[in-house]
Amino acid sequence: DAKTTQPPSMDCAEGRAANLPCNHSTISGNEYVYWYRQIHSQGPQYIIHGLKNNETNEMASLIITEDRKSSTLILPHATLRDTAVYYCIVRDDKIIFGKGTRLHILP
Amino acid sequence: EPEVTQTPSHQVTQMGQEVILRCVPISNHLYFYWYRQILGQKVEFLVSFYNNEISEKSEIFDDQFSVERPDGSNFTLKIRSTKLEDSAMYFCASRGNGEQFFGPGTRLTVL
């Protein structure tokens, strides 16, 4: 399985865009990039996924570099409810959760 | 919007007792999973289930654990003889062709 690297924590001011990076330099050609988050002790929540094109849905945007070795999750207008641990995953059969990025939204 | 449900939300049991955690996956999904999260630690994969059999399991999923899909809707995790270290949140998830949808979890406390 491809490994991912994420910063352990980030801060973002409420109302601003939160940009969460992820490195996945060993990703193979047919592996998708998935993002999930876990708010406190709730069940993990799917956010978005992509293969090589940029994607956008009602929650977020996903920017994948042309070489697919890294990606950025963008929450366009962060709110306090976006405070969570965000996980970048490159396989979505069994999910192996790393440490993720703990995002703090500052009021 | 369809969702995965889990019961009970909290289960307290004595060490050595059997527990069954129940999940109702999203109705047209074919892939099912159990994960656990010990307090303060990361979410860990336990087992995946497809076509009425286990497709993959982790080292954590030893002989004390079993899974079953007894009817067309429920997906259960049984722990035969609970240990103190089984205390954790247990999350069920299901998947169609894409992302996994997780339930709210069952908090298992073993005394």
Side-chain angles (χ1 to χ4, degrees):
Chain A
D1 293 345
K3 290 180 66 173
T4 63
T5 305
Q6 299 177 252
S9 68
M10 293 183 66
D11 292 339
C12 179
E14 190 176 15
R16 304 297 294 267
N19 295 277
L20 292 89
C22 179
N23 287 321
H24 32 79
S25 58
T26 59
I27 192 171
S28 63
N30 60 350
E31 286 183 315
Y32 282 75
V33 180
Y34 283 81
W35 283 82
Y36 289 81
R37 71 181 182 183
Q38 187 178 28
I39 296 172
H40 194 43
S41 293
Q42 297 178 24
Q45 177 189 25
Y46 164 80
I47 302 172
I48 199 168
H49 73 282
L51 184 62
K52 44 187 174 180
N53 297 323
N54 297 338
E55 301 289 342
T56 294
N57 62 20
E58 65 278 4
M59 289 182 69
S61 295
L62 175 61
I63 308 298
I64 303 173
T65 57
E66 196 168 333
D67 62 9
R68 302 208 330 119
K69 293 185 177 182
S70 65
S71 60
T72 301
L73 177 74
I74 301 172
L75 307 178
H77 306 286
T79 71
L80 295 175
R81 286 178 294 181
D82 293 320
T83 295
V85 181
Y86 287 76
Y87 299 96
C88 169
I89 311 288
V90 292
R91 179 183 173 184
D92 198 48
D93 185 10
K94 71 178 184 184
I95 297 178
I96 303 298
F97 288 90
K99 295 182 180 177
T101 295
R102 187 171 294 277
L103 179 65
H104 299 103
I105 305 300
L106 308 175
Chain B
E1 186 172 322
E3 58 183 16
V4 176
T5 59
Q6 291 185 243
T7 54
S9 57
H10 192 183
Q11 173 92 45
V12 181
T13 190
Q14 295 290 325
M15 190 170 57
Q17 294 296 304
E18 174 184 286
V19 294
I20 297 176
L21 309 183
R22 301 180 193 282
C23 169
V24 179
I26 293 172
S27 62
N28 61 347
H29 284 181
L30 299 177
Y31 300 87
F32 313 110
Y33 307 83
W34 282 100
Y35 296 82
R36 79 170 186 192
Q37 186 174 34
I38 295 171
L39 185 65
Q41 299 185 22
K42 60 185 181 181
V43 177
E44 300 173 288
F45 167 77
L46 291 178
V47 65
S48 57
F49 191 87
Y50 170 73
N51 201 24
N52 280 322
E53 59 183 26
I54 290 174
S55 44
E56 193 167 357
K57 59 184 180 180
S58 72
E59 291 178 353
I60 303 167
F61 195 88
D62 62 22
D63 291 345
Q64 292 300 311
F65 291 87
S66 63
V67 289
E68 195 177 33
R69 189 154 161 82
D71 52 42
S73 59
N74 290 287
F75 179 51
T76 62
L77 174 69
K78 182 193 293 187
I79 309 175
R80 288 192 186 81
S81 178
T82 50
K83 309 186 204 49
L84 295 176
E85 54 264 37
D86 293 328
S87 294
M89 283 289 287
Y90 287 81
F91 296 108
C92 171
S94 70
R95 176 171 76 87
N97 288 324
E99 67 273 19
Q100 292 188 28
F101 291 81
F102 285 78
T106 292
R107 179 172 298 284
L108 177 64
T109 302
V110 182
L111 304 176

